[in-house]
Amino acid sequence: MSDSRSNAPVNEEKLDKLAQVAVHTGLGLEAGQDLLITAPLTALPLVRKITEHAYKAGAGLVTTIYSDEEATLARYKHANDDAFDHAADWLYEGMAKAFGSNTARLAISGDNPMMLAEQDPEKVSRANRANSKAYKPAIKKITGFEINWNIVSYPNPKWAKLVFPDLGEDEAIAKLADAIFAASRVDQADPVAAWSQHNADIHARRDWLNQMKFRDLHFQAPGTDLIVGLADNHEWAGGASLAKNGITCNPNIPTEEVFTTPHARRVNGTVRATKPLAHNGSVIENIEMVFKDGVAVEVRASKGENVWNKVLDTDEGGRRLGEVALVPHSSPISQSGVLFYNTLFDENAACHIAMGQCYTECFVDGDKLTEDEVTEKGGNSSLIHIDWMIGSDEMDIDGITQDGERVPVFRKGEWAN
Ligand code: ZN
Ligand code: ZN
C-alpha cells in the first residue's frame, strides 16, 4: 500500500458500479440500517465508494475496520510467543452486539494470498484458532443470517502479481480488477438487472434439488470416487437469501453455487482437488483425501500438507464436511481461466466441498433447530469452514434418491438436465 495507488489503474466507472451492486444487490441495505465494513487498507478506494452509496441509500452510520499487511507481519516478527493465543474478543463481542441491533455487515476480500506463507505454521494456526474462537458470537449471527451481509472484492497489488506474474504491477492490477468486475457482472449495462436474472436461474436449480431430496451425491472424476451423504431434512440454498431481519441479500458477489449440508457421518471414498487452495496466507496444492464414515482418514497435499493438517486438527469437526456445492464448469469465472487464489472466486469456478462448520440455514426450518438437533440430522460443527475445489469438465455426479435410484445431476462438469 502506498499513496501512489491514488492513480491506480482501476476503472472508476466500474468501481462505482461494483459499490452500487455491493450496497443494493449484495446487502440490500435498508434506510436507517448501520453498516459495519471490514477491509484491507489497499481496498480504500472501494470502501469510500461503498460508504458513499450506503449513505445515499439512507444508512445510519457506516464504520470501517481496516487491516494492514505490514502490521500483521510485524506481529509475526516481533510479538511475544504468548500473544499468538490471543484475539480481540472485545471487538467481536461488539460486532455481535451491532448485528443484534440490525447492523448490516460487508467484508471486502483482497488480502495478499501469500501474506503468511513465510511464517511459522504453528503460530499461524494458533493465531487463527484464537481468532476463530473469539469470532464465534459474531460469525454465528452472520452464518445464521440474522442480518443481511455481503462479501465483495478489490485487487491488492501483491495478489494481482500472484495471479498475473508476467505482467507489470499496474497492468496486473488493472487485469485483476477487470476479472473481478466481469465475475461480479458489473461490466454489464445494467448490473442490478443482470443479478436479478442470475438469481432466478440459481433459484430454479435450487428448487429442483429441493424437490428431489436426494439421500446421497456420488462424485466421479479422475482421482475422485466419493459418496457424499446429505443431511436429514437438508435444504439447498444459493443466490439471493432472505435474512431473518426480513432483508433479501446476496451474501457473495460473485456467486455461482447451489449448496447444502452434507451428512457429517456419511461421507465415504476418495477425492482429489482440482485447484490449489489459498487459505489464510498459504497455498495448499494437490490435496487428496480418503473419507471413511465422514472423517478424512487420509490427507495428502504436494505442497502445504503440514499447514493443511494443522488446520484440519483445529477441532473434532475439522476433518468432516460442512458443505457440498455444485457449480457448472461453464460458469463465467471458470471460463475466464483465471486462477484467483481467493476462495470467493475460485469456489465459484468449480464444484466444491468444505471442511468444518455447516450452514444451519441449509436445513428445513433450520432457524428453529437446536445445536443438538442439527448434529443429530448430520450437521457438522467446527471453528473452521474451508471450501476446496473438486470440480472439473470431467466430473460426473449422480443423485441417489431415498429409494436408491440414480439420477444424473452433472455430466462432464455441466448440469445434466
Ligand atoms: Zn460454497
Ligand atoms: Zn463454503
Side-chain angles (χ1 to χ4, degrees), residues 343-363:
T343 299
L344 180 61
F345 295 89
D346 294 331
E347 76 158 341
N348 284 304
C351 289
H352 55 271
I353 49 182
M355 310 305 299
Q357 181 64 40
C358 73
Y359 285 105
T360 48
E361 61 146 343
C362 291
F363 284 97

Side-chain angles (χ1 to χ4, degrees), residues 145 202 205-219 228-239 241 255-264 266-267 320-327 347 350-366 369 374 377-380 385-387 397-400 402 409 415:
F145 278 87
I202 291 179
R205 298 294 184 193
R206 175 199 67 184
D207 294 347
W208 178 72
L209 288 162
N210 280 334
Q211 207 186 311
M212 296 308 289
K213 294 189 171 63
F214 290 123
R215 184 186 68 202
D216 312 285
L217 293 179
H218 185 186
F219 292 83
V228 177
L230 300 180
D232 306 343
N233 299 115
H234 69 273
E235 204 166 57
W236 289 85
S241 301
T255 188
E256 302 287 338
E257 59 175 342
V258 285
F259 59 99
T260 194
T261 301
H263 197 296
R266 293 200 296 108
V267 180
R320 296 179 190 266
L321 296 189
E323 179 193 335
V324 57
L326 306 182
V327 179
E347 76 158 341
C351 289
H352 55 271
I353 49 182
M355 310 305 299
Q357 181 64 40
C358 73
Y359 285 105
T360 48
E361 61 146 343
C362 291
F363 284 97
V364 177
D365 292 329
L369 299 177
V374 168
K377 289 177 187 299
N380 192 28
H385 175 99
I386 304 166
D387 301 277
I397 306 170
D398 282 345
I400 302 171
Q402 303 293 337
V409 176
W415 289 100

Side-chain angles (χ1 to χ4, degrees), residues 149-164:
W149 59 277
N150 171 245
I151 309 177
V152 279
S153 195
Y154 186 81
N156 161 309
K158 286 184 185 144
W159 175 25
K161 282 291 287 175
L162 181 69
V163 177
F164 301 109

